[in-house]
Amino acid sequence: MEVTVQWIRTSWTKRSRGGEAAARRNAVPVGFRLPPMVPAVAHVVRVRESDGFDAVDGQEDLRSVDVQLRERDGRLRVLPRIQPLFAIPPRPRRPPAVRLVPGQWVRWQLNYRFSSAAGVRGWSYWLDTFNIAYGPVEADVFLSPPTLLIDERGPVR
C-alpha cells in the first residue's frame, strides 16, 4: 500500500482567539511540502501558540496517526478517528469514510475545544488537518487543491 500521510495539528488557547495572534493562527498553511520519508511513516507538523505558531515538523510511525487506513479492491478507505470523546463539538453524525483510487488525495479537517479539569486553566483548542494521498506523489502534492475536501469543523465557542 503506497500511502502518504501528513498530519498538521494546530493548538492554541483563548489568548489567540482574536487580534494579531488569531491572524497568525489563521495564516497556518493547510499543507506543507513533504520531506524525504521512508514507508510507513507520516509527516507530522505541530503548530503551537506557545511557539508563536511556527511549524515544527517531524516524522512518526503511521500507526500513531489517528486515522483508519484500509486498502481493498484497489481503493484506500480513509476515516480519521475521534479520540477525545469528551471534546467539543459533539459529532453524533460523522461523514462516511472516503475511498480513494490511486492518484487521489483527501484533506480532512476536524477541530476540538477542551476545558481543563475543574475549569482551572481555561479552554484550549486543536485543529487537525489530515492530508492523505494514495499512490506515488511529488513532495509538493499537499500544496495544491485536494481531490476531496472533508470539512468536519464545528462551532467551538
Side-chain angles (χ1 to χ4, degrees):
M1 170 167 68
E2 190 163 357
V3 177
T4 304
V5 175
Q6 183 178 76
W7 176 19
I8 305 163
R9 173 165 287 164
T10 305
S11 58
W12 66 97
T13 67
K14 192 173 181 180
R15 290 185 306 238
S16 296
R17 293 266 323 242
E20 190 178 309
R24 283 194 313 274
R25 172 177 51 86
N26 290 330
V28 172
V30 292
F32 290 85
R33 185 174 177 80
L34 292 166
M37 297 188 333
V38 297
V41 171
H43 179 218
V44 178
V45 181
R46 298 291 179 244
V47 184
R48 298 177 182 95
E49 175 186 75
S50 60
D51 295 331
F53 294 106
D54 291 330
V56 177
D57 68 338
Q59 297 182 16
E60 292 183 19
D61 187 286
L62 197 54
R63 293 173 296 199
S64 69
V65 178
D66 284 337
V67 66
Q68 294 175 0
L69 302 170
R70 292 205 177 97
E71 189 178 36
R72 186 171 158 210
D73 299 329
R75 292 182 173 260
L76 178 69
R77 182 182 183 275
V78 177
L79 182 64
R81 295 182 194 100
I82 303 293
Q83 293 290 24
L85 298 175
F86 52 87
I88 293 175
R91 292 181 173 86
R93 297 187 66 153
R94 295 197 59 214
V98 298
R99 287 173 173 75
L100 303 176
V101 298
Q104 292 184 324
W105 71 276
V106 62
R107 174 171 292 139
W108 198 309
Q109 292 187 291
L110 301 112
N111 63 342
Y112 305 92
R113 182 188 81 195
F114 304 94
S115 63
S116 65
V120 175
R121 291 184 301 172
W123 294 342
S124 62
Y125 303 86
W126 287 355
L127 171 61
D128 280 341
T129 301
F130 296 98
N131 295 316
I132 301 169
Y134 187 38
V137 295
E138 299 293 325
D140 61 353
V141 62
F142 298 136
L143 303 180
S144 62
T147 309
L148 297 165
L149 174 63
I150 308 295
D151 188 346
E152 208 176 342
R153 293 176 291 176
V156 291
R157 295 185 185 261

